Structures are given as C-alpha cells and as structure tokens.
Amino acid sequence: ALGLTGALAYSIYELRHPEEQYEPDPTKKTLVILGTGWGSVSLLKKLDTENYNVVVISPRNYFLFTPLLPSCTTGLIEHRSIMEPIRNVLRQKKATVKFFEAEATKIDHEKRVVYISDDSEIKGDISHTQVPFDMLVIGVGAENATFGIEGVRQHSCFLKEVTDAQNIRKRIMDCVETAMFKDQTPDEVKRLLHMVVVGGGPTGVEFAGELQDFFNDDLKKWIPEIQDNFHVTLVEALPNVLPMFSKQLIDYTESTFKEEEITIRTKTMVKKVTDKYIEAEVTNPDGSKSLETIPYGLLVWATGNAVRPVVRDLMSQLPAQKDSRRGLAVNEYLVVNGTENIWAVGDCAITNYAPTAQVAGQEGAFLARLLNTMAKTDAIEKELQTLSSEQSKAKTDEERNRVFDEIRERQRQLRRTKQIGPFQYSHQGSLAYIGKERAVADISWLSGNIASGGTLTYLFWRSAYLSMCFSSRNRVLVAMDWIKARLFGRDVSR
Ligand code: NAD
C-alpha cells in the first residue's frame, strides 16, 4: 500500500513538474491548431511538439468532457469537474506550445494567415490580430442548428457549452420558483413547469432523462407543490427518437420514458418559437397536418449541428468545396480538399461517420501520428542528403561502404515511416443515458445491443464515462459529485 501511495504521489509530482520545455525555433514549421475540443486536444495529446512551432487558438481555454454536460444542467455534476485547463495539457508537452484565447474569425488560405479576435470580457490594447501558419489544423466544431426558425436564438437554451448548462440550471429553478410565486394563476403554473426539449437525438434524450431524474430524486421532495404540474415533453420531427440506435433500443427508450412520465411527441416539427409557447406542425395518424401551440417554461433546443461562419467562409474561398454543405470536405488523410497544408478534424469535417466525440478523438490521434511521421520523414530525408554528399567525398572503399550501409538503413526507415495508411474509424459503440438509472448501449465489439436498466447498466455507463474522463483529477471530481448527490441530493439553489 505504501508503494502504491508513493507511486501515485510521484506521478502527481511529475505531472506538476514537467520537464523543461524548449523555446520556439525559427527553423521549424509553424503548426497552428484551432480549437480545444475532442479533435484538437486528442491531437495535442499525441503530437511530438518538438517537431514544430505549435500554436493553439481557441476561445475556450479548457477541454470540456461533453458526454457529462447534460448532468451539469441539474447540478448532479458541477461543471468544473468536467473541465480540464488547456494550460495543464500544454505544459506536459516537451516543447513550448503557445496558446491564444481567441476566436478565429477568418482563415486566409492563400496568404496562410488566421485572423483572430479576443472575444472575452476584458480586452487589452490589441484584441484583433493575425497568426501566420505553414500548416493548419481546423478543429473548431460546429454551432447549434436552428434552421432559421423564428425565435429559436432569442428564447431557447442550447446544450453545447458550459454556459449553456449553467443557463439551463438557473432557468429550471427560476421556472419552479416563479411558479410558486404567491397567487400565480393555475394556467401560468402549468406553463412555467412545462419543460420542453426539441430534438430527439442523444442530446435531447439524455437531457430529458436527467431532468426527470432531478424532479424525481430531489425537486418533488423539496417542493412537493410542483408535483402535479411539473412535466417534461420531448418533441421530435421524425417518427421516432434516437434514429441512430436499433429498433429494440428505440422501443426500450420509449417505454422507459413512458414509465418516467416523460411525454414523447414524435412527428411534431417546431416551426416557430415565442417567449411563452412553441408552434409545431403535427402529422396526424391519417397523414393530415395540423398546427399546435405548446406553452413552455423552459425550452431546450437540441436539433444537431450547423457549420460555423469561419468554416463557411473558408469553404467559399475553395472551389473544391463548392458541393459541400455540411462542413469541410476532406480526403482520407483529413486534408481539406483544395488545400495541401490544411487539415480538419471533428464536427467541422465531413467524413463518412456521424459527428461524435469518438470520431473526433480518433481523427485527432490519427493526425498526430501523421504529423509525427511527416516530421520524421523530413528528418530522414535531410540525413540522406548529407549522407549522399558524404558518399561522393569518401576516399577509401571502407568509408564508401560504411556510408552506403547507412544510406540503405535510412531508406529502409523511410519506407517504414511512409507506410501510414489513411484514416479509419473504429467504432467502439454508442451509449446514451435515458434516466431512471438506465442506459442504452450498442456495443460493436460485443456485436450486440444492450438495453437494460438496474444497477448493472447504471454502473456500466457510469464506469465507462468515468474511465473516459480526461484526467485523474476529473475522474476524482466526477466521482465525488456523484457521491455528494447520493448523500445530500442535488443543490436546488438558483
Ligand atoms: P441529432 O442531429 O442527433 O438529433 C437532432 C434531432 O432533432 C433529429 O432527430 C431531428 O429530426 C430533430 N429536429 C430537427 N429539427 C426539428 C424541429 N424543427 N422540430 C422537431 N425536431 C427537430 O442532434 P444531437 O442529439 O445534438 O447529436 C449531435 C451529434 O452528436 C450526433 O452525431 C450524435 O450521435 C452525437 N451525440 C452522441 C451522444 C452519445 O453518444 N451519447 C450524445 C450527444 C450527441
């Protein structure tokens, strides 16, 4: 036990006191990485930063473990538990990596510069500037899709960033406390306690499940008066929720929601949002369509991804991107079509796979391998040049043979490093929490579906998410949040 404690203490010491870092080197190429999400951070983790002058640019100076973000909306998990400071990641690297907290507003691919802007509250004398690059990796993700539907941006909450989760958490409690206001009318109480989620993808489903858990575990115990009126509704335009899962898992989710008393409204497409109600087009069983008004207190909008303006702008500069709509078209090495020195990873790149954290993470790791190999290849090629000039100058046969052997060895190395194949995604499975301590999982290596509830699945999804957490620090914090909520309940302050 003493040995184990010693080893742990030493590893924490080592993490906090990384080796000295080299300064940027003018003879090296500048590699600019945009974003601090799943794609960019998994690239950074595996990148040998001593090969390039690496610059990271992102408006967020932390990595966010998004799979647990729905739990932050109810206070089950505190948001800081799933954030990892990017500075923490960068100081583990051998060579210095520069970080600028800024938004990339424009990429000029011909001039090879990124325009950046400081969008934080405090601004210095300089808040707009340019960063030149030799190589660029775009990992800026996507923004929330609203399909231009009136009122969505003004009145609904999204669920992508930490601030979104904080807004939702505040808004839930604001609705509850306002509903409890003295002399509130019954209709208004009903409206305020109606929590509407639009979008039946995994984001919407997981949030609806977490919210209903919050009500069952805590809210109705602290504030029993809301019992009869608190209601969660999930609205989906298609005939069923979670279309990416199998029929069996969809049925299981739908029947669990029924038990939990979450209403699912499928074939209901939201067309307009006001501050108090949504207007939706409902397809009736006979195929006819009708318009319906649904009052709400909280509206969470989870209808998937849209292309960010900076990405759309780059696409408009490249004729090769003319036919691409959903994001940057890339080749099998993740090179942005129409460029040679720009790569894209994660939700801003269009591949054959769904825009998930798992795909982005694997793309980032692949790119790290590719960039490490490219640097190694360059180094070997330089050595080969030196060796061949040495060979021509060699005086004796012995010398010539030695150089010849070395050249052969370098050529072998070169062939080996150049063997890196195209990016291939290996699907480890999909997992979604559906509330009531139940999860649905489609685990490909088991070649089957797991749709179950009860302690086992609950422990399985929790341990899976825990093991995927970014750092041991995050793992400890998340586990403590879970224990805290079990013991004392969630915090219902606004
Ligand atoms: P999504 O694109 O998966 O689902 C959005 C849903 O909104 C769709 O089913 C669509 O039909 C519906 N919709 C769109 N417009 C609508 C309207 N006007 N009215 C009613 N419904 C409407 O979005 P998501 O859930 O945010 O997921 C985005 C990506 O992230 C997906 O690839 C998903 O697989 C991934 N993700 C995975 C997990 C997980 O594995 N646990 C969790 C979250 C997200």
Side-chain angles (χ1 to χ4, degrees):
L2 215 73
L4 205 69
T5 320
L8 188 69
Y10 184 70
S11 69
I12 290 175
Y13 172 85
E14 234 187 350
L15 279 178
R16 301 205 53 194
H17 300 83
E19 282 175 59
E20 220 165 296
Q21 302 187 22
Y22 325 134
E23 280 306 303
D25 175 346
T27 64
K28 286 178 185 162
K29 285 188 177 158
T30 299
L31 169 66
V32 172
I33 300 172
L34 304 182
T36 44
W38 283 94
S40 303
V41 169
S42 84
L43 158 65
L44 273 167
K45 262 180 129 173
K46 297 225 160 86
L47 182 71
D48 295 335
T49 50
E50 59 276 26
N51 296 330
Y52 304 96
N53 293 319
V54 184
V55 180
V56 178
I57 298 165
S58 171
R60 238 174 46 188
N61 79 343
Y62 54 86
F63 167 75
L64 181 65
F65 185 72
T66 44
L68 286 174
L69 195 59
S71 300
C72 293
T73 62
T74 64
L76 175 62
I77 288 177
E78 292 296 340
H79 60 273
R80 293 227 170 238
S81 306
I82 55 167
M83 289 158 72
E84 182 70 19
I86 196 70
R87 303 278 182 186
N88 238 3
V89 181
L90 299 185
R91 68 195 202 111
Q92 315 293 336
K93 304 307 293 186
K94 246 196 190 152
T96 307
V97 176
K98 277 215 178 313
F99 174 74
F100 302 126
E101 192 188 74
E103 196 182 316
T105 50
K106 186 180 170 67
I107 297 161
D108 189 326
H109 111 278
E110 263 175 24
K111 283 197 197 141
R112 300 193 169 190
V113 285
V114 179
Y115 295 82
I116 65 168
S117 148
D118 179 357
D119 67 346
S120 63
E121 258 168 57
I122 298 174
K123 295 199 176 42
D125 287 343
I126 308 283
S127 58
H128 300 275
T129 186
Q130 318 175 357
V131 181
F133 63 83
D134 298 307
M135 299 153 93
L136 177 71
V137 177
I138 308 175
V140 298
E143 61 177 32
N144 295 292
T146 63
F147 308 104
I149 296 170
E150 189 186 329
V152 175
R153 286 225 180 267
Q154 294 91 304
H155 305 298
S156 47
C157 300
F158 297 111
L159 190 46
K160 214 175 213 357
E161 301 290 342
V162 163
T163 44
D164 297 331
Q166 287 171 309
N167 280 344
I168 294 176
R169 187 172 175 183
K170 263 192 242 153
R171 177 105 193 192
I172 297 169
M173 290 322 298
D174 201 0
C175 284
V176 170
E177 299 297 1
T178 309
M180 292 298 96
F181 194 78
K182 187 166 178 298
D183 303 332
Q184 199 63 275
T185 62
D187 276 352
E188 192 63 350
V189 171
K190 244 196 164 66
R191 174 184 78 81
L192 286 163
L193 294 177
H194 190 203
M195 311 281 149
V196 174
V197 186
V198 181
T203 307
V205 166
E206 288 192 319
F207 170 69
E210 292 274 358
L211 183 54
Q212 189 67 30
D213 279 0
F214 183 27
F215 172 69
N216 287 333
D217 299 346
D218 301 297
L219 276 178
K220 75 174 178 203
K221 294 181 190 147
W222 300 126
I223 315 159
E225 301 99 296
I226 65 170
Q227 183 117 234
D228 296 334
N229 290 307
F230 188 94
H231 194 86
V232 181
T233 301
L234 181 65
V235 178
E236 166 58 53
L238 298 176
N240 47 49
V241 297
L242 295 181
M244 66 289 289
F245 283 94
S246 68
K247 169 102 180 47
Q248 181 205 357
L249 297 189
I250 292 172
D251 290 347
Y252 183 77
T253 307
E254 291 182 347
S255 72
T256 299
F257 270 26
K258 205 171 218 163
E259 279 174 45
E260 290 175 274
E261 293 180 340
I262 296 173
T263 305
I264 299 182
R265 301 279 315 258
T266 51
K267 298 188 185 169
T268 305
M269 183 184 275
V270 178
K271 295 277 187 179
K272 184 180 164 186
V273 174
T274 74
D275 58 343
K276 293 195 172 145
Y277 60 87
I278 57 175
E279 260 178 35
E281 186 184 80
V282 185
T283 309
N284 302 308
D286 64 2
S288 66
K289 292 195 183 338
S290 52
L291 264 187
E292 199 179 319
T293 305
I294 305 171
Y296 71 85
L298 167 78
L299 176 64
V300 173
W301 193 265
T303 62
N305 291 342
V307 183
R308 284 197 195 279
V310 62
V311 171
R312 200 167 326 114
D313 177 77
L314 175 64
M315 287 163 65
S316 72
Q317 297 170 39
L318 302 165
Q321 299 284 335
K322 185 169 60 58
D323 298 327
S324 184
R325 290 280 165 274
R326 289 172 300 120
L328 288 162
V330 294
N331 74 8
E332 70 273 34
Y333 288 88
L334 306 179
V335 178
V336 172
N337 290 351
T339 74
E340 288 148 26
N341 56 337
I342 305 182
W343 290 259
V345 289
D347 290 1
C348 63
I350 297 305
T351 52
N352 294 330
Y353 317 107
T356 66
Q358 214 180 127
V359 171
Q362 290 186 24
E363 287 174 349
F366 166 82
L367 205 51
R369 213 152 38 89
L370 190 75
L371 293 171
N372 294 344
T373 309
M374 279 164 62
K376 224 182 271 166
T377 319
D378 278 355
I380 299 175
E381 272 166 359
K382 266 191 204 131
E383 280 175 11
L384 272 171
Q385 272 171 11
T386 329
L387 283 170
S388 65
S389 75
E390 256 179 55
Q391 195 183 24
S392 58
K393 284 184 215 140
K395 300 220 171 59
T396 63
D397 267 356
E398 198 185 325
E399 235 181 312
R400 253 190 297 275
N401 284 345
R402 185 189 54 79
V403 178
F404 184 67
D405 283 349
E406 270 197 49
I407 288 179
R408 282 246 303 255
E409 176 54 28
R410 293 290 182 283
Q411 279 168 340
R412 248 199 305 274
Q413 279 177 0
L414 200 61
R415 270 198 300 277
R416 235 177 294 139
T417 44
K418 273 191 170 164
Q419 254 171 17
I420 189 158
F423 171 69
Q424 259 173 343
Y425 171 60
S426 129
H427 186 61
Q428 304 297 305
S430 310
L431 193 60
Y433 180 66
I434 57 173
K436 220 180 175 205
E437 305 197 345
R438 292 184 186 177
V440 287
D442 150 16
I443 312 287
S444 38
W445 44 269
L446 279 177
S447 67
N449 297 324
I450 303 176
S452 63
T455 325
L456 256 181
T457 319
Y458 180 62
L459 287 179
F460 172 71
W461 93 262
R462 287 216 157 172
S463 54
Y465 276 17
L466 208 56
S467 72
M468 289 188 304
C469 273
F470 188 83
S471 62
S472 324
R473 187 183 132 269
N474 286 155
R475 240 164 258 141
V476 171
L477 292 176
V478 167
M480 285 198 314
D481 286 343
W482 279 335
I483 295 168
K484 200 171 68 186
R486 259 289 144 98
L487 291 177
F488 306 111
R490 296 169 182 80
D491 179 348
V492 296
S493 54
R494 183 151 77 87

